[in-house]
Amino acid sequence: MDITNRDVREITMSKKPNKEKLLDKVKDEKPVKSKILTLPILIIGFLVVVFGAYMLYAMTHMHVTSKTETSTVKTSSNSEKASSSTKKYVAGKDYKITYNNTDLIDKSTITKALDANGLNDINDLMDTSEDGGDMAKVEVYYNKDKNLLVERLFKNGYSGNQDSARVVYDISQGKIPDNGADTDSHYLDLPLVYTWEKLTK
């Protein structure tokens, strides 16, 4: 077999370029593969970030909306409660107030005493529920010597002249005395200065 220099050169030459070509091919393929893999990862990452941001916004918005709805419900229920508790009772129709002996004591002093005991709240006096005053009548007597007002309270269903409770108000102190004062005899033979009476049954 006759092998020429040319053939030898071709054989030896062809081996070297094949290795180099293969290496070049591998080098060229790696970036393409990494590019192909990187693109979907980037797209997925972008979608995850966008979706996460949207979910965060939606959750925050829902929380704010539900909070607003809750406060609206609370406000409306409070206003309903307020409107039911501030029912308009009409003087002369639902109740009657009478001032007597106005020359002995002024109305403002009586009003101050009634305010101190919550007896100037018509809605509460008329309210027959457990939380309400459930009153039929309130009488106030003036003890000029001791500078006291004696309030006699008559709850609905009282009989005769039997009061349900008595409260003494010290005018000079501007409050109910700490010792409570002796209420049994304070109103006897004293002038009646104020009467509140429920008219509707």
Side-chain angles (χ1 to χ4, degrees):
M1 183 189 251
D2 186 25
I3 301 172
T4 61
N5 284 339
R6 184 174 167 270
D7 292 334
V8 172
R9 205 171 37 240
E10 278 178 9
I11 290 165
T12 54
M13 286 292 284
S14 65
K15 281 182 182 175
K16 265 190 175 180
N18 276 346
K19 278 185 183 176
E20 284 174 12
K21 277 180 186 176
L22 282 171
L23 282 171
D24 287 343
K25 258 189 181 180
V26 169
K27 281 179 185 174
D28 285 344
E29 283 176 9
K30 271 187 180 176
V32 171
K33 279 184 182 174
S34 66
K35 281 178 188 173
I36 290 169
L37 286 173
T38 305
L39 188 62
I41 290 169
L42 284 173
I43 290 169
I44 290 167
F46 176 75
L47 289 173
V48 166
V49 168
V50 169
F51 183 71
Y54 175 76
M55 287 301 291
L56 184 67
Y57 169 77
M59 287 171 67
T60 309
H61 185 68
M62 268 177 45
H63 178 68
V64 168
T65 307
S66 67
K67 217 173 182 182
T68 307
E69 284 171 4
T70 306
S71 66
T72 306
V73 168
K74 274 185 183 174
T75 306
S76 63
S77 67
N78 285 346
S79 63
E80 281 172 22
K81 194 175 178 184
S83 66
S84 67
S85 66
T86 56
K87 184 180 172 187
K88 293 284 182 187
Y89 292 107
V90 181
K93 178 187 166 197
D94 299 307
Y95 66 93
K96 180 174 78 172
I97 293 175
T98 310
Y99 288 92
N100 301 317
N101 299 302
T102 49
D103 55 322
L104 294 175
I105 186 168
D106 59 298
K107 290 181 182 180
S108 62
T109 305
I110 296 169
T111 302
K112 192 176 175 185
L114 293 169
D115 284 339
N117 303 321
L119 297 173
N120 216 13
D121 184 350
I122 304 301
N123 290 323
D124 186 57
L125 293 173
M126 297 287 285
D127 188 356
T128 55
S129 70
E130 278 186 38
D131 297 334
D134 192 24
M135 289 293 157
K137 187 166 68 166
V138 175
E139 292 179 346
V140 179
Y141 295 84
Y142 178 46
N143 187 328
K144 190 176 179 180
D145 296 335
K146 297 187 177 181
N147 207 22
L148 298 173
L149 286 173
V150 181
E151 300 158 356
R152 295 180 70 210
L153 316 177
F154 300 83
K155 284 196 175 279
N156 286 310
Y158 79 96
S159 59
N161 196 29
Q162 187 59 48
D163 51 33
S164 308
R166 260 177 237 150
V167 180
V168 173
Y169 178 83
D170 190 323
I171 297 168
S172 53
Q173 289 183 33
K175 63 174 188 173
I176 298 167
D178 295 331
N179 62 3
D182 175 22
T183 57
D184 287 334
S185 59
H186 280 167
Y187 80 95
L188 296 172
D189 302 322
L190 295 177
L192 178 67
V193 292
Y194 172 90
T195 306
W196 175 90
E197 199 167 0
K198 183 179 179 180
L199 299 176
T200 53
K201 299 297 175 193

